[in-house]
Amino acid sequence: MHGLMMDVPLSIPLIARRALTLYGSRPIVSRRPDRSLHRSTYHEVLGRSARLARALRRLGVKPGDRVATLAWNHARHLEAYFAIPSIGAVLHTLNLRLHPDDITYIATHAEDQVVLVDKVLWPLWEQCTGRVAARHVVVMSDDGIVPPGTLDYETLVAGEDDGFAWDDLPEQTAAAMCYTSGTTGRPKGVVYSHRSMTLHALGAGMVHVTGLSERDTVLPVVPMFHVNAWGLPYACGMFGAAQVFPGPHLDPASLLGLLADERVTLTAGVPTIWLGILQALDAEPGRYDLSRLRAMLVGGSAAPSAMIRGFRQRHGLHVLHLWGMTETSPIGTAAFLSPALLDADETTQDAYRAKQGRAAPLVEIRGRSAQGLIPWDGTTMGELEVRGAWVARQYYGADGPDDRFTADGWFRTGDIVTIDHEGNMTIQDRAKDLVKSGGEWISSVALEGALMGHPDVAEAAVVAVPHAKWDERPLAVVVMKPGRTFDEAALRGLLEGMFAKWWVPDAILPADAIPKTSAGKFLKSALREQHRAHYGVADESARGG
Ligand code: ADP
């Protein structure tokens, strides 16, 4: 017997119609490259988005065509987010922090037909153009002047009316695609469906994750080119939250100014962004009025517990730790405290806030070791596997079986985790970053978190270096805060007080900076390469990227 409920397709136009009818006057604010602010509303943005949809059709964009964006976070990018999927085309966000060769590879692999480029990013696109067979390049410019051979976004939008029906699409239609950053090999395309995006927006808004509503003003620092800014642009549209876009200005002072002036209630980004913000706040306590900010979402790599504590104790700010991947849309887990923890002391609560947390609604997790599925005992390590309505089931263009997907339909994340009896998941490492010393695993993430807990340390990364006796030993690279002196003995003492002796890195080295990936994570492959001979062995046993 079948259920007798409506089979309403879950598609992006459903979100657009809701935002238009219920939240039209909610603000959309963008910082332009010249630092001035552009103020708009959902009504205006979706009106322009409708005209963009018509213009793209007029340019010959057909259902299934890939339309790429190479753009910062701003209102026009939001217009593209709604217009492209709503004509059945596929929004392909290109990562502007990648090398032009990688952008070329990705745009070619995806067969992008039309590319929308920020004028300030034209010098980057110029290094790809000619090698990418896009039919049209549309430039988003503030002064009406665009490079020869390209189309002006504003002219296209102005040439249409906003008679666009925002009709539903079959929910399994591709809506968007994003390539993995390639820190674990060649970038691979993940293709999101209308259904997965809509469900993810709903999931992202739930109280376990963000608890979004029209009382919120959201500033996504996480780029719209990296896993759809964690789904926030669509979630905000669904729940009516105002959006504030920082454009290209991501330095701590610019972000803090915007958070304060626009009375932002919720923001999101990777830990390296928040480490910089915490330093800026510590340097000038009380300078910014952040009294409206109710949560800072942190994910992409492990948020050090000292950072979470520092925000809370010194500035009264609350960090919510999320885990996810390009392949999981990205929200997989969130460290939302269970009722039992609400009465716990702050140290215990902080320990849970630093975990990656429990599976989001509609997502399931499990861990697997060589012995089979791991017990949820909080100590046994295994590779995290995940399953859910917004998790990829295959990569774009994959032909044949892929060992990232299990026979029973789970995705193998490559993350090594423990899970406790309440389902709280803790990332111990990425499989390729684990230090395997004398047959035992050492968590580089735990060591990094401890080092970043030292008040003089700005950033720390720990990598595996080949070692004659132990196979691998950990090596730490530490960046001190401005004006602080590197003191190896003090750092060693800190670690010896917290970990078994054999976990403590043999070498702790000072550095001016830690190389970062295009998403702002520590680029550990570069550090491993740089230090691979440090313990006197530099043979083929050293691991690559
Ligand atoms: P890339 O694989 O290129 O880094 P993704 O953005 O898809 O691109 O990264 C997903 C990975 O980021 C996860 O597999 C995990 O290793 C890491 N990650 C994400 N969130 C967290 C977190 N909260 N704590 C620790 N690691 C995280």
Side-chain angles (χ1 to χ4, degrees), residues 179-184 226-227 230 271 298-303 321-328 330 333 354-356 404 411 413-416 427 429-433 445 517-519 521:
Y179 279 67
T180 60
S181 317
T183 41
T184 49
H226 191 70
V227 218
W230 300 352
V298 181
S301 51
H321 198 189
L322 305 175
W323 167 89
M325 306 179 70
T326 308
E327 291 88 338
T328 65
T333 68
K355 295 176 189 290
Q356 282 68 20
R404 295 296 298 274
F411 172 66
T413 63
D415 286 332
I416 304 299
I427 300 263
D429 238 318
R430 290 187 131 183
K432 66 188 175 59
D433 291 335
V445 172
T517 72
S518 61
K521 308 181 189 190

